[in-house]
Amino acid sequence: MIEITWRYDAASDYQESEPATPAEAVSLLDEGNSEFASLGSASGADRHLVIPVTAADLGIGGAEGEAPSQEPFVALLGCADARVPPELLFMQSANDAFVVRVAGNVLGAECVGSLDYAITHLRSLRLLTVMGHTGCGAVAAAVDSYLRPIVYLGLSSELPLRAVVDAIMAAVRGADVALRRSHGDEVVARAGYRLALIDTAVVLNAAVAADAIRTMFDTRLGADLDIVFGVYDLVSRRVGLPIDSESRWTPGLARAPHGDEFLEFVRDVATSAHVTRLLDLEPSDAH
Ligand SMILES: [Zn+2]
């Protein structure tokens, strides 16, 4: 049995210690995700994880008629996909995360406005995070529209859906260029090309959003607030990046590339063990 419990214990003297710096916030999330991912490592074994919660975070015990104050340490832009619940996969509790979820974690005006609200009003905030995930359906829709223009033509009058697909298209184009540069134009004929394009675009889409947020809120970032990004791998349950040619997934939230760094970054993704496996290539086959 696997059991994950949010526990408020009135007899306990548990005091939640919020991260004081962005680096502490990253460590807290990385450690939480590592613990969550470990749940599947011993199949059949009983696991019981407890996430302590304070009364205040549950809205209990305040003065009559008084609402708890909102005190998250992280604001996260993530995908609406039901398999990717941020608080659970980072092992966090109520009032820890200000979560903005939308298909494909696209950076629409409402999302930027929500993050702007959090940055402006929530003094407890130490970290902004963008989180994509492998096998994202929204990114897959953008990839299919890119690979088969007739599909995109069918979406031409579907403006709400196009708002999602169009926002991801630049990442798909960038991923296509990176895969061709790393593996040659003939890579498009490989059976695994579509899946490789989806996951390469997933990573690039999250990186581009994180870089865009950093540019938008540049003057408000510093020692007390930073931005990172990562991709949740549905198979290993780790938040990290496919950037290593040896190991499938490098765990941990990371700083987004900027400017010229994007070229090297997307090349690392295109030649990573994860993407080359999807292409059914050996990493050494990369050009
Ligand atoms: Zn998704």
Side-chain angles (χ1 to χ4, degrees):
M1 179 171 67
I2 293 175
E3 190 172 27
I4 302 171
T5 304
W6 276 15
R7 178 185 293 160
Y8 163 59
D9 181 356
S12 160
D13 58 359
Y14 169 72
Q15 298 283 327
E16 190 169 28
S17 61
E18 298 292 354
T21 65
E24 284 184 28
V26 168
S27 294
L28 193 62
L29 294 174
D30 285 345
E31 287 164 14
N33 177 242
S34 175
E35 195 172 21
F36 176 73
S38 74
L39 283 172
S41 59
S43 57
D46 281 355
R47 294 292 304 276
H48 183 198
L49 298 181
V50 174
I51 303 172
V53 187
T54 65
D57 285 343
L58 293 174
I60 298 170
E64 186 68 28
E66 186 183 314
S69 61
Q70 186 177 194
E71 296 177 345
F73 70 85
V74 58
L76 182 144
L77 173 64
C79 183
D81 191 300
R83 297 166 294 181
V84 192
E87 284 94 340
L88 179 63
L89 59 89
F90 285 116
M91 299 293 285
Q92 299 300 311
S93 74
N95 213 2
D96 283 336
F98 181 96
V99 180
V100 180
R101 291 179 74 175
V102 59
N105 40 275
V106 297
L107 196 56
E110 295 86 350
C111 301
V112 175
S114 300
L115 294 174
D116 193 338
Y117 171 85
I119 294 169
T120 303
H121 296 286
L122 305 177
R123 298 289 99 202
S124 56
L125 208 62
R126 291 292 170 269
L127 193 68
L128 306 172
T129 302
V130 177
M131 186 175 69
H133 67 96
T134 55
C136 180
V139 175
V143 163
D144 289 340
S145 295
Y146 178 76
L147 294 177
R148 298 175 58 215
I150 191 72
V151 171
Y152 189 65
L153 196 60
L155 297 180
S156 58
S157 61
E158 307 232 13
L159 296 182
L161 187 53
R162 275 184 52 194
V164 174
V165 168
D166 290 355
I168 299 171
M169 207 56 93
V172 175
R173 171 77 178 138
D176 181 40
V177 169
L179 289 171
R180 288 169 188 262
R181 280 189 179 168
S182 297
H183 304 291
D185 283 341
E186 63 274 18
V187 72
V188 300
R190 300 198 72 87
Y193 182 67
R194 176 177 174 271
L195 291 179
L197 185 57
I198 290 171
D199 276 5
T200 305
V202 159
V203 178
L204 199 50
N205 184 47
V208 166
D211 184 47
I213 291 169
R214 182 166 54 207
T215 301
M216 274 184 252
F217 298 110
D218 184 47
T219 59
R220 294 149 82 182
L221 304 179
D224 291 334
L225 184 65
D226 202 356
I227 175 152
V228 292
F229 82 113
V231 171
Y232 178 68
D233 175 30
L234 291 171
V235 174
S236 65
R237 299 174 306 284
R238 292 306 309 257
V239 176
L241 291 169
I243 48 173
D244 193 297
S245 61
E246 301 290 329
S247 65
R248 187 171 175 279
W249 214 254
T250 303
L253 292 161
R255 179 184 170 278
H258 180 66
D260 292 344
E261 296 168 354
F262 264 99
L263 272 180
E264 187 177 351
F265 173 75
V266 76
R267 190 185 64 217
D268 287 347
V269 176
T271 56
S272 67
H274 176 67
V275 171
T276 51
R277 190 184 59 84
L278 290 174
L279 288 168
D280 197 21
L281 288 167
E282 292 298 318
S284 57
D285 289 346
H287 289 194

